[in-house]
Amino acid sequence: MEGKEEDVRLGANKFTEGQPIGTSAQGKDYKEPPQAPLFEPEELQSWSFWRAGIAEFIATFLFLYVTLLTVMGVSKAGPNKCASVGVQGIAWAFGGMIFALVYCTAGISGGHINPAVTFGLFLARKLSLTRALFYMVMQCLGAICGAGVVKGFQPHLYQQSGGGANVVNDGYTKGHALGAEIVGTFVLVYTVFSATDAKRNARDSHVPILAPLPIGFAVFLVHLATIPITGTGINPARSLGAAVIFNRDHAWDHQWIFWLGPFIGAALAAMYQQVVIRAIPFKSRA
């Protein structure tokens, strides 16, 4: 409607801009929200739709910018101020940026910043196919631009240190890498579902929960576990952005792992949340 600010959507769940995702519900009454339609052409005429896509682009841009610069600082030869942070510092950079960016964008786009998260929420019918595809495109473009800016700042070091591209590290097979990506993404997407569960917020309204905190912490922990295996992808946009700008054969050879693994992990997390935790199919039959 002209002149009226639209409610922001996280899929089918409407949140006003003054109520960020993850805040506790005001009461304990709960009604199952309707599923998002598969196609919603009306979204294309809404400024909130385009604004959400721009927010995903900027968030993913900033995510790649900060995290890849951290990787470059740790990888830099010789003593430097970033060398001492090591793997833990890289993991904190990824987890901390997700925490900050989800907090900033949750009320605008839902704060996905990851095609695997978008895919999982789409399978759970939390958002339409139109919005899901738009988010994924904007996330990938933002990641490419973020990695490009990092290379512009440190072109020689960027190429020398591998550009932050995800590859299967020595001592591990492609099967190991695929399994690590599946399980790591499952942890992330399952945490997203749990932290943003409207029923849980209504039931536990006396226990406030800030959704970005557990999501960012999940990213941090997964990085600690899987950096030695793949450098940790669990985000196809992040892997694509680094590969496009680095543009070496060995980065492209393993690229399929960092799309297939996260999408399988996200699908498993969506299935587990909807079928086991929430028992949605059984409620529908009843």
Side-chain angles (χ1 to χ4, degrees):
M1 183 181 295
E2 286 292 326
K4 182 178 179 181
E5 186 69 21
E6 299 179 43
D7 286 345
V8 178
R9 290 171 177 256
L10 173 64
N13 298 324
K14 294 184 179 180
F15 296 85
T16 62
E17 295 205 14
Q19 181 192 7
I21 176 177
T23 53
S24 59
Q26 297 300 314
K28 295 186 178 181
D29 293 335
Y30 172 75
K31 183 178 180 180
E32 191 74 43
Q35 291 184 334
L38 185 60
F39 296 102
E40 197 168 8
E42 294 80 6
E43 287 184 311
L44 300 176
Q45 302 175 14
S46 167
W47 168 238
S48 68
F49 175 83
W50 300 102
R51 178 183 59 187
I54 294 170
E56 287 292 309
F57 173 89
I58 294 297
T60 315
F61 170 87
L62 295 175
F63 178 61
L64 267 289
Y65 171 77
V66 170
T67 55
L68 291 189
L69 275 180
T70 304
V71 172
M72 298 302 102
V74 173
S75 302
K76 186 176 181 180
N80 65 84
K81 294 181 180 180
C82 292
S84 61
V85 303
V87 171
Q88 292 87 351
I90 294 173
W92 275 121
F94 279 88
M97 278 303 291
I98 287 297
F99 169 72
L101 293 170
V102 171
Y103 179 82
C104 292
T105 61
I108 302 172
S109 66
H112 297 190
I113 322 171
N114 185 335
V117 171
T118 300
F119 181 65
L121 291 172
F122 165 70
L123 291 180
R125 301 297 298 275
K126 301 294 185 182
L127 71 165
S128 68
L129 179 61
T130 310
R131 185 175 291 259
L133 292 176
F134 182 48
Y135 278 15
M136 290 180 189
V137 170
M138 296 301 282
Q139 290 156 359
C140 290
L141 291 176
I144 293 169
C145 292
V149 170
V150 172
K151 182 180 179 180
F153 282 170
Q154 303 184 32
H156 178 69
L157 178 60
Y158 186 87
Q159 295 295 338
Q160 188 180 43
S161 60
N166 292 120
V167 297
V168 180
N169 291 323
D170 293 339
Y172 296 95
T173 67
K174 293 179 181 179
H176 294 148
L178 182 62
E181 290 295 306
I182 291 173
V183 176
T185 311
F186 180 93
V187 171
L188 169 60
V189 178
Y190 178 43
T191 303
V192 170
F193 275 115
S194 298
T196 61
D197 189 340
K199 180 178 181 179
R200 178 176 179 176
N201 290 333
R203 182 191 63 204
D204 301 330
S205 58
H206 61 289
V207 183
I209 179 172
L210 183 63
L213 182 59
I215 295 170
F217 201 62
V219 171
F220 165 71
L221 293 174
V222 171
H223 274 76
L224 285 183
T226 59
I227 282 177
I229 304 174
T230 62
T232 309
I234 68 170
N235 184 335
R238 172 260 186 274
S239 300
L240 178 67
V244 167
I245 300 302
F246 183 54
N247 198 27
R248 297 290 177 86
D249 289 343
H250 66 279
W252 288 114
D253 289 342
H254 301 155
Q255 186 66 201
W256 64 272
I257 293 173
F258 303 103
W259 283 83
L260 182 62
F263 273 56
I264 292 175
L268 292 174
M271 184 184 302
Y272 178 66
Q273 174 72 13
Q274 296 295 98
V275 176
V276 178
I277 303 299
R278 297 299 307 281
I280 299 295
F282 304 104
K283 292 178 181 178
S284 300
R285 292 174 188 172

